[in-house]
Amino acid sequence: VVAEAPPAPPSPSGAMRTAVLADANSCAVPEYPARAARNGEQGTVTLALLVGANGKVNDSRVQKASGSRELDRAAVSALSLCQFKPAMNGGSAEAGWAQIAYVWTLE
């Protein structure tokens, strides 16, 4: 799992501002969809997650599909349940977007 967050723009007041910390290591590993596994489907899906001030995912979008609709859906379902560290602005938590990629591989 690769997590990236865009740099936070400076706040107008000059207060310290941080981006969402999207660390998927604290998330449960998504279950490989049975049909996708039977068909040998693999790939990487990149998601955009809107993380609220409480650290929960409020919205999610597939930014780059894996090539398998089932793998994309499974990643959205699992990663949307994760708890993340929200963006901060002057010491206060705020909503912000994060980008996270999940790699599906069969062993």
Side-chain angles (χ1 to χ4, degrees):
V1 176
V2 178
E4 299 175 3
S11 112
S13 66
M16 180 71 169
R17 195 161 192 197
T18 64
V20 173
L21 177 58
D23 179 10
N25 292 329
S26 63
C27 300
V29 176
E31 189 173 321
Y32 219 105
R35 188 176 356 174
R38 279 194 308 272
N39 293 335
E41 296 173 2
Q42 301 183 95
T44 301
V45 57
T46 304
L47 305 175
L49 304 174
L50 177 60
V51 177
N54 61 359
K56 293 183 180 182
V57 176
N58 293 337
D59 192 12
S60 61
R61 297 181 185 145
V62 174
Q63 284 195 310
K64 184 177 178 200
S66 66
S68 165
R69 190 174 294 225
E70 291 202 35
L71 295 179
D72 295 347
R73 285 183 193 154
V76 167
S77 294
L79 297 175
S80 291
L81 298 175
C82 294
Q83 181 78 24
F84 296 106
K85 184 176 178 185
M88 300 294 285
N89 185 4
S92 298
E94 67 179 12
W97 285 93
Q99 196 176 67
I100 192 164
Y102 191 81
V103 181
W104 294 96
T105 55
L106 290 168
E107 296 180 14

